[in-house]
Amino acid sequence: MGSTMIAVIGFVSLAILMWVLLKGMTSPVIPFILIPVVTALIAGFSISDINGFVKSGLNSVLSTAAMFMFSITYFNIMNDAGLFEPVIRALTPKGKANVFLILLSALAVTYVGHLDGSGATTWMIVLTAFLPLADRVGIRRPALLCVAASGMTAANLVPWGGPTMRAAAVLEMDVNALFAYILPALAVMVGLSVLTVWMLARAEVKNGAGTMIAENTCTAGDHVEPGRGGFKDWKWIFNMALTVAVLYFLFSGVMSSYLCFMMGVSVALLVNYPNPKEQTKRLKSYAGQSMVMTITLFAVAVFLGVMKEGGFIEAMASVIVRIIPGFLAPHAHWVLALIAVPMMMALGTDAFYYVMLPVIIGVVEPFGISALSVAAVYLITGTFGSSINPSGAAMYVGLGLADVDVGTHIKFSIRYLWPFSIACMAAAILMGIVQF
């Protein structure tokens, strides 16, 4: 079967998947498994081929799934033990809350948490710290997810981050030099993130947030135990030290992410709940939340394996470039960047930079457009779609913690992220970073 037909089948399958997810017609597990398998069969692949595709996809998310199961258990224990109570009390003096300050604090933590370049780590740190607070003051969970997604736009582009390293590899240039070139645009991204926080804060206040303390409905732990969560509680001091240690090993890379949380869970259970029956009871109470999202991660892996290994993503990227009218060829880099967010959502990070970027460079270079300019425009626009990419495994760590479905997150956040990606591109053109 020709590459064009493969691409058409891929686009139709992706459209069906997005429609099902956005409409919330079924659990995400079902379309992520059934649609790619049917797609591969229609494209002429054998069951043996599909088995290989799925195996490859599963291998790519095994470490993320293990980390998710243990990290969510760890932070559930910490939440029940009252670790975050002092933060909540500090940001809600006398039962009142400054919604803008809370969301701005979440944005700041996003930037710090994303220093290691790991989206999964960032979701865990931000959501476990701010979900209990957001629930108590009536901030909707999709708004908190949107703040984190917005903060990760600029943080994604640090020199050691995946997008910048991928683009530098394509250009065969030093990653630090590429980062220095796009640095002024990152300042714009930070400003847009703060603007996002301001807009969300206004919307949440209009929705009733901050006017009264809402009942704590956070699923990350059923309740804080009486007498826990104070600086005079020795277990609180121990839990804080343990959490700092876990995060240190996580960021330093000395220990694998999943082993960090495996060790953390073991120690946390032993100290906070020394009774074996209580330990089992706690693990059972957290099992439902972690199991649902772990199953979802494995389902996403089926989709990723089939679409990548089956050649659908590469064929789709080639077709996107070929449909550009001839008169727009000199401007193909910024014309396609207008839809960089949905392209990132459709193709994923690897195909976006390793497949799309080289092809577009080849299209516009004869017209005097530098490869550096093309890489810059796709870095500063595509990154806005990374945190709402339905095939991005890390995002499901955040969705699982927040107990928000993927369709709700995408519909809520894309209203801010896509327009701001275009605004950032316009600013980059005005600053001379991107050639027009």
Side-chain angles (χ1 to χ4, degrees), residues 408-431:
T408 299
H409 172 52
I410 291 175
K411 286 187 289 185
F412 189 97
S413 297
I414 199 171
R415 296 177 297 169
Y416 298 90
L417 299 178
W418 192 0
F420 282 170
S421 77
I422 297 173
C424 191
M425 181 184 71
I429 291 174
L430 292 176
M431 290 187 290

Side-chain angles (χ1 to χ4, degrees), residues 11-281:
F11 280 122
V12 172
S13 300
L14 186 63
I16 295 172
L17 176 69
M18 291 298 297
W19 181 67
V20 172
L21 292 177
L22 293 176
K23 290 291 184 180
M25 300 174 66
T26 68
S27 164
V29 172
I30 298 172
F32 271 122
I33 293 176
L34 292 183
I35 291 176
V37 171
V38 173
T39 296
L41 290 173
I42 293 174
F45 291 105
S46 66
I47 296 298
S48 177
D49 293 331
I50 296 173
N51 282 333
F53 299 159
V54 172
K55 182 178 180 179
S56 175
L58 289 174
N59 288 336
S60 70
V61 302
L62 283 176
S63 59
T64 301
M67 180 187 68
F68 177 77
M69 292 185 68
F70 283 91
S71 65
I72 197 171
T73 301
Y74 178 81
F75 284 115
N76 276 335
I77 296 171
M78 292 297 105
N79 190 61
D80 279 354
L83 181 66
F84 307 110
E85 282 299 296
V87 176
I88 294 173
R89 288 196 291 265
L91 290 175
T92 56
K94 298 180 180 180
K96 296 182 180 180
N98 185 320
V99 175
F100 175 73
L101 179 60
I102 292 171
L103 293 181
L104 189 63
S105 300
L107 179 66
V109 171
T110 300
Y111 283 125
V112 175
H114 209 58
L115 287 176
D116 68 341
S118 169
T121 302
T122 307
W123 286 118
M124 283 187 299
I125 293 173
V126 175
L127 294 177
T128 51
F130 285 91
L131 267 177
L133 177 57
D135 284 343
R136 291 195 187 185
V137 302
I139 297 174
R140 291 172 295 178
R141 295 182 175 196
L144 186 58
L145 287 170
C146 185
V147 168
S150 176
M152 279 188 267
T153 56
N156 272 334
L157 301 184
V158 292
W160 54 89
T164 310
M165 288 194 295
R166 288 178 176 89
V170 171
L171 268 59
E172 298 182 350
M173 69 177 295
D174 180 67
V175 67
N176 291 314
L178 176 58
F179 177 74
Y181 183 78
I182 64 173
L183 192 57
L186 264 67
V188 176
M189 289 183 184
V190 173
L192 290 173
S193 295
V194 175
L195 178 59
T196 302
V197 167
W198 180 78
M199 294 172 66
L200 285 170
R202 284 174 56 89
E204 292 307 296
V205 169
K206 288 182 179 179
N207 196 54
T211 56
M212 60 182 293
I213 302 300
E215 181 182 356
N216 183 11
T217 57
C218 181
T219 57
D222 295 329
H223 65 282
V224 177
E225 299 168 7
R228 302 297 295 273
F231 294 109
K232 296 180 180 179
D233 178 11
W234 74 267
K235 285 189 178 180
W236 184 91
I237 297 173
F238 178 86
N239 288 331
M240 176 58 72
L242 178 62
T243 301
V244 170
V246 168
L247 294 178
Y248 167 76
F249 285 114
L250 189 67
F251 284 127
S252 65
V254 174
M255 192 181 297
S256 63
S257 57
Y258 46 88
L259 183 56
C260 287
F261 286 108
M262 285 177 174
M263 294 291 292
V265 166
S266 301
V267 175
L269 280 174
L270 193 61
V271 172
N272 289 279
Y273 308 105
N275 187 297
K277 291 184 179 180
E278 182 64 19
Q279 293 169 0
T280 302
K281 178 182 176 182

Side-chain angles (χ1 to χ4, degrees), residues 371-388:
L372 185 58
S373 179
V374 178
V377 73
Y378 284 99
L379 282 170
I380 64 180
T381 55
T383 186
F384 283 87
S386 298
S387 299
I388 53 174

